[in-house]
Amino acid sequence: MDIDVQESVFQIVRLIPKGRVTSYGAIAQCIGTKQSSRYVGWVLAHSHGVLPAVPAHRVVNRIGLLTGKHHFDTPTLMQELLEAEGIRVVGDRVSEFAVLFWNPMQEIYYENNL
DNA sequence: ACTTTGACTATAA
DNA sequence: GTTATAGCCAAAG
């Protein structure tokens, strides 16, 4: 079976719980292409119109900065989506990022041992 | 088959 | 905290 890397990225992002966020590097590490966090962003840039929907707004960079907000329909849409989930965004940065951070590896480990 | 790109990250100064 | 630089890798052109 040939699983595209981009499809793996979509699946991981779809696992992100509402109200939580993760980083490009964490996703890259989770799917195996650990050093190519840049590619994760490249994939998400093409995630518009993909079904089922990919909550790309829950993916930020390693310090919680909303670096991808310009790729949404409007520059403020990403922040609005996050705030709608209870995440506070101040100065394009996720507040309490360390607390809200969701590590994909933890979820995979949990599912494998369920 | 080669070059460019990208919503990144780690490190150093 | 900042800026600069290098590494990284799959997809698109």
Side-chain angles (χ1 to χ4, degrees):
Chain A
M1 56 189 269
D2 299 327
I3 304 176
D4 288 347
V5 176
Q6 56 181 352
E7 187 179 344
S8 300
V9 173
F10 293 150
Q11 291 181 7
I12 294 295
V13 174
R14 282 193 280 257
L15 290 177
I16 304 174
K18 179 182 177 182
R20 305 292 298 279
V21 294
T22 192
S23 70
Y24 305 94
I27 296 172
Q29 187 176 11
C30 184
I31 65 178
T33 63
K34 33 191 168 189
Q35 275 92 332
S36 72
S37 48
R38 313 175 75 189
Y39 177 64
V40 175
W42 186 92
V43 170
L44 292 182
H46 293 85
S47 66
H48 286 273
V50 176
L51 294 178
V54 178
H57 60 279
R58 299 186 185 134
V59 185
V60 296
N61 76 351
R62 69 180 176 96
I63 62 173
L65 216 53
L66 276 56
T67 48
K69 67 179 201 170
H70 291 301
H71 292 265
F72 288 80
D73 293 343
T74 67
T76 57
L77 182 57
M78 185 177 187
Q79 177 173 344
E80 291 172 0
L81 289 171
L82 290 173
E83 290 178 337
E85 297 181 353
I87 299 177
R88 197 154 60 96
V89 178
V90 179
D92 289 344
R93 192 173 56 85
V94 175
S95 298
E96 302 289 342
F97 173 68
V99 179
L100 297 176
F101 181 79
W102 176 81
N103 191 334
M105 306 276 271
Q106 288 183 350
E107 189 65 21
I108 299 302
Y109 177 84
Y110 175 76
E111 288 187 349
N112 286 343
N113 292 276
L114 193 59

